């Protein structure tokens, strides 16, 4: 399987035009059977690397997923991380801010959920919502109780600057951030919405608000374009993942996560000679039935 990260990476400081980014590319698998095999291999390797990440306890990795409704964020997270030890991984989904969260700055609620060293953190939506949905719906901003000097022209530029500063700080302190925008076409979203309506087992996934937000598609794309271009850096890159093919998207994402973990050059803690002697002495006692 060959995946070129540069094919999906947003270049730092580059202006983004999502109409030029594909929502479907040639699959990296040839059949459903090969897809299952590749995903199984990826899950196994990710599990191995996660154990090593936990044992070395030097780095953390944060995976951020953003997308339009029905793009497959939940499925990608579930499939890609299916083999990871829950003790070393935490998935956080961010919905509408609570009253308590609105009493703080817009980065507060997500900062509390950042992964510690040795762990994988996953944000299903994130602080980026504050420069995406809030930008599309200014009425949300008006309800955030900001001081007058903070709520005015230039707020989006200032928030993007704050996000870049946060991610730079995290990177300097050992947290690698990978950000995935699952790029779905309007036609594919429409098909998935119809499937959710037609399948009783999927009715719970569908809300009338989904269709309302769909009418703001161009506004959302504009917000994403500003966001991706302003916050993709070498240390904390954005990847635009073609999402019309869910299986292909999952394999691309898992490949990128594995490559990032392999880049840490991790190793298990070294056992000293004194510690080995101690362990052998304990082993002898246990073998004799002592203790």
């Amino acid at each position: 399987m060959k995946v070129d990260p540069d094919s999906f990476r947003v270049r730092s400081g580059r202006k983004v035009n999502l109409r030029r980014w594909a929502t479907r590319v040639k699959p990296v698998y040839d059949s459903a059977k090969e897809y299952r095999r590749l995903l199984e291999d990826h899950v196994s390797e990710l599990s191995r690397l996660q154990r090593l990440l936990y044992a070395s306890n030097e780095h953390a990795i944060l995976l951020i997923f953003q997308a339009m409704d029905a793009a497959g964020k939940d499925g990608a997270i579930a499939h890609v991380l299916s083999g990871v030890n829950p003790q070393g991984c935490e998935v956080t989904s961010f919905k509408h801010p609570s009253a308590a969260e609105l009493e703080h700055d817009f980065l507060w609620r997500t900062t509390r959920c950042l992964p510690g060293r040795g762990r994988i953190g996953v944000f299903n939506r994130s602080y980026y919502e504050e420069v995406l949905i809030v930008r599309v719906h200014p009425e949300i901003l008006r309800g955030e109780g900001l001081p007058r000097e903070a709520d005015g022209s230039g707020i989006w530029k200032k928030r993007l600057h704050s996000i870049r500063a946060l991610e730079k700080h995290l990177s300097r302190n050992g947290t690698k951030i990978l950000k995935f925008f699952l790029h779905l076409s309007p036609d594919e979203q429409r098909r998935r919405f119809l499937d959710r309506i037609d399948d009783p087992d999927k009715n719970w996934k569908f809300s009338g608000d989904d269709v309302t937000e769909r009418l703001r598609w161009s506004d959302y794309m504009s917000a994403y374009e500003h966001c991706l271009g302003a916050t993709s850096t070498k240390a904390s890159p954005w990847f635009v993942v073609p999402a019309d093919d869910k299986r292909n998207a999952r394999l691309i994402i898992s490949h990128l996560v594995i490559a990032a973990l392999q880049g840490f050059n991790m190793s298990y803690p070294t056992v000293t000679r004194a510690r080995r002697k101690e362990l052998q002495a304990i082993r002898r006692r246990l073998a004799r039935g002592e203790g």
Side-chain angles (χ1 to χ4, degrees):
M1 174 186 173
K2 294 182 179 180
V3 173
D4 179 11
D6 289 338
S7 299
F8 310 104
R9 186 195 303 268
V10 176
R11 296 299 178 188
S12 180
R14 294 280 183 89
K15 186 175 181 179
V16 176
N17 183 346
L18 287 173
R19 287 173 295 181
R20 296 179 180 176
W21 289 76
T23 59
R24 183 182 295 272
V25 294
K26 182 180 178 181
V28 295
Y29 63 96
D30 294 326
S31 64
K33 182 179 180 180
E34 186 184 17
Y35 160 74
R36 290 191 293 270
R37 180 185 65 78
L38 287 170
L39 185 62
E40 184 177 326
D41 289 346
H42 284 195
V43 168
S44 177
E45 176 64 3
L46 186 56
S47 177
R48 183 188 73 82
L49 290 167
Q50 185 265 331
R51 292 194 300 272
L52 188 54
L53 176 75
Y54 190 84
S56 60
N57 199 41
E58 291 183 351
H59 303 276
I61 188 165
L62 174 63
L63 311 177
I64 292 177
F65 290 83
Q66 294 284 159
M68 296 295 285
D69 293 320
K73 297 190 310 302
D74 293 352
I77 293 168
H79 283 78
V80 171
L81 298 171
S82 60
V84 172
N85 187 333
Q87 290 184 329
C89 178
E90 184 172 2
V91 179
T92 309
S93 296
F94 293 98
K95 306 296 184 182
H96 297 296
S98 67
E101 289 167 344
L102 288 173
E103 293 297 320
H104 298 269
D105 69 273
F106 79 96
L107 291 171
W108 180 78
R109 69 171 181 153
T110 49
T111 302
R112 297 184 304 155
C113 302
L114 290 169
R117 290 188 180 90
R119 301 178 65 85
I120 297 174
V122 181
F123 284 0
N124 186 346
R125 303 193 186 276
S126 66
Y127 43 81
Y128 280 101
E129 293 292 282
E130 292 291 334
V131 293
L132 294 169
I133 187 172
V134 178
R135 188 166 188 165
V136 174
H137 292 279
E139 65 274 14
I140 298 176
L141 184 66
R142 291 192 290 270
E144 291 188 349
L146 297 175
R148 280 173 291 181
E149 60 270 21
D151 182 2
S153 62
I155 186 171
W156 309 120
K157 184 176 180 179
K158 293 172 184 176
R159 284 192 167 186
L160 291 168
H161 177 79
S162 295
I163 289 172
R164 286 196 304 271
L166 170 68
E167 293 181 347
K168 185 176 182 180
H169 167 76
L170 292 173
S171 177
R172 285 197 301 259
N173 287 274
T175 297
K176 176 70 176 179
I177 304 173
L178 300 183
K179 300 171 290 191
F180 302 103
F181 170 57
L182 276 60
H183 192 22
L184 185 72
S185 68
D187 286 344
E188 180 62 24
Q189 188 196 56
R190 178 179 57 83
R191 283 190 286 271
R192 293 182 187 180
F193 280 171
L194 290 171
D195 181 56
R196 289 180 177 184
I197 293 171
D198 294 341
D199 186 345
D201 292 338
K202 296 180 180 180
N203 285 172
W204 66 272
K205 292 184 176 183
F206 186 77
S207 166
D209 292 339
D210 296 339
V211 175
T212 302
E213 293 303 288
R214 177 178 165 82
L215 298 175
R216 306 294 296 271
W217 191 278
S218 61
D219 295 332
Y220 274 106
M221 291 303 102
S222 177
Y224 269 110
E225 287 170 350
H226 283 97
C227 167
L228 298 175
T231 58
S232 188
T233 64
K234 184 177 181 180
S236 303
W238 272 107
F239 295 97
V240 178
V241 179
D244 282 3
D245 181 341
K246 291 182 180 180
R247 291 174 173 175
N248 209 40
R250 293 165 187 167
L251 292 176
I252 291 169
I253 291 167
S254 59
H255 177 91
L256 294 171
V257 175
I258 287 169
L261 284 168
Q262 290 173 338
F264 287 155
N265 193 26
M266 299 175 290
S267 61
Y268 285 102
T270 302
V271 180
T272 65
R273 180 178 297 181
R275 177 59 174 162
R276 285 198 297 269
K277 288 181 64 176
E278 180 186 5
L279 290 173
Q280 288 304 312
I282 293 172
R283 188 186 188 285
R284 288 192 293 271
R285 291 201 302 273
L286 288 172
R288 291 194 298 265
E290 301 174 5

